[in-house]
């Protein structure tokens, strides 16, 4: 037996109204992730949502703003480039990986000390994106955080972390090998 959960925009907007009712909080941010992965058929509806803060006949309440995020098309094949009409109605902010900012976050959430010490010495390895003849190789902030979490699990289970394990999270061969050698061999 299994269950499938699907969220619709009307359910999301309804949850905003429930939040207002339950908390009295009349202002907030409605965050939509992977906005540029909507299908071609949903693009006009998404444009209406971004422009008018409405989905069908349901509207986002006054005092709430919409913030959306997406990935560049070179990193995600399902990304659809926005047309000029859509781009003209949104504020686009390109975000760059910043080790010093991430480091503050990393200390707050308890990123594994081995990850932090490695990146302190080699912060140029914090975010790397390369296309080689073998395909894409990358090291990302998410990969470092996920590696940190699996390292904690391995340590609790008293298991050895290998270069292969590191390579599952840091998918940049040189960086993964270098990290594994510096920490586990």
């Amino acid at each position: 037996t299994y269950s499938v959960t699907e969220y619709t925009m009307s359910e999301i907007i309804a949850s905003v109204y429930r939040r207002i009712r339950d908390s009295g909080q009349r202002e907030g941010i409605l965050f939509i992730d992977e906005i540029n992965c909507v299908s071609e058929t949903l693009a006009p509806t998404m444009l209406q949502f971004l422009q008018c803060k409405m989905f069908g006949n349901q509207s986002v309440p006054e005092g709430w703003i919409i913030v959306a995020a997406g990935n560049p098309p070179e990193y995600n094949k399902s990304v659809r480039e926005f047309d000029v009409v859509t781009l003209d109605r949104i504020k686009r902010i390109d975000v760059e990986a910043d080790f010093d900012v991430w480091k503050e976050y990393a200390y707050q959430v308890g990123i594994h000390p081995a990850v932090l010490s490695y990146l302190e010495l080699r912060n140029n390895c914090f975010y790397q994106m390369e296309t080689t003849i073998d395909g894409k190789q990358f090291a990302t902030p998410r990969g470092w955080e996920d590696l940190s979490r699996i390292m904690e699990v391995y340590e609790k289970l008293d298991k050895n972390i290998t270069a292969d394990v590191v390579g599952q999270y840091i998918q940049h061969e040189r960086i993964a090998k270098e990290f594994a050698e510096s920490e586990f061999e």
Side-chain angles (χ1 to χ4, degrees), residues 5 19-20 25 41 43 45 55 70-73 86-87 126 161-162 175 182 185:
T5 303
R19 174 82 176 158
I20 292 170
Q25 184 176 351
T41 56
T45 306
F55 191 82
N71 289 309
T86 304
L87 289 171
F126 169 64
I161 299 163
T162 65
I175 295 171
S182 71
E185 292 180 7

Side-chain angles (χ1 to χ4, degrees), residues 1-179:
T1 306
Y2 65 91
S3 65
V4 176
T5 303
E6 288 187 29
Y7 294 103
T8 64
M9 286 302 294
S10 56
E11 289 172 317
I12 293 169
I13 293 173
S15 72
V16 170
Y17 283 99
R18 274 193 304 280
R19 174 82 176 158
I20 292 170
R21 183 194 67 215
D22 295 347
S23 70
Q25 184 176 351
R26 298 202 144 317
E27 296 177 335
I29 298 170
L30 176 56
F31 177 74
I32 310 292
D33 201 6
E34 301 296 344
I35 190 86
N36 55 349
C37 287
V38 299
S39 69
E40 195 69 37
T41 56
L42 280 178
T45 306
M46 197 53 63
L47 176 60
Q48 176 197 22
F49 181 68
L50 294 172
Q51 185 175 0
C52 305
K53 293 172 63 172
M54 292 191 68
F55 191 82
N57 63 357
Q58 298 191 7
S59 63
V60 176
E62 288 295 318
W64 284 70
I65 61 170
I66 299 168
V67 174
N71 289 309
E74 59 267 23
Y75 302 147
N76 186 341
K77 289 185 179 182
S78 60
V79 163
R80 195 179 61 72
E81 296 244 13
F82 283 137
D83 56 29
V84 173
V85 173
T86 304
L87 289 171
D88 195 36
R89 287 162 172 80
I90 63 173
K91 170 78 172 144
R92 178 180 165 159
I93 301 170
D94 291 326
V95 177
E96 298 291 327
D98 183 316
F99 175 68
D100 291 327
V101 172
W102 185 82
K103 183 171 63 172
E104 285 181 41
Y105 162 81
Y107 279 114
Q108 290 174 4
V109 299
I111 295 297
H112 196 284
V115 169
L116 286 168
S117 64
Y118 174 82
L119 291 174
E120 280 286 345
L121 295 173
R122 297 175 186 89
N123 61 28
N124 63 321
C125 296
F126 169 64
Y127 178 79
Q128 288 283 320
M129 189 73 59
E130 295 176 18
T131 302
T132 68
I133 57 172
D134 296 323
K136 291 202 184 301
Q137 291 198 36
F138 54 92
T140 65
R142 177 177 288 146
W144 288 111
E145 183 167 2
D146 291 346
L147 175 61
S148 169
R149 300 295 170 235
I150 199 68
M151 288 171 65
E152 292 167 2
V153 171
Y154 270 56
E155 287 173 356
K156 285 179 184 170
L157 296 174
D158 200 29
K159 295 184 84 147
N160 292 330
I161 299 163
T162 65
D164 288 339
V165 171
V166 173
Q168 292 174 16
Y169 298 92
I170 307 304
Q171 297 183 39
H172 189 289
E173 188 177 346
R174 177 188 55 78
I175 295 171
K177 182 180 177 193
E178 188 178 274
F179 176 78

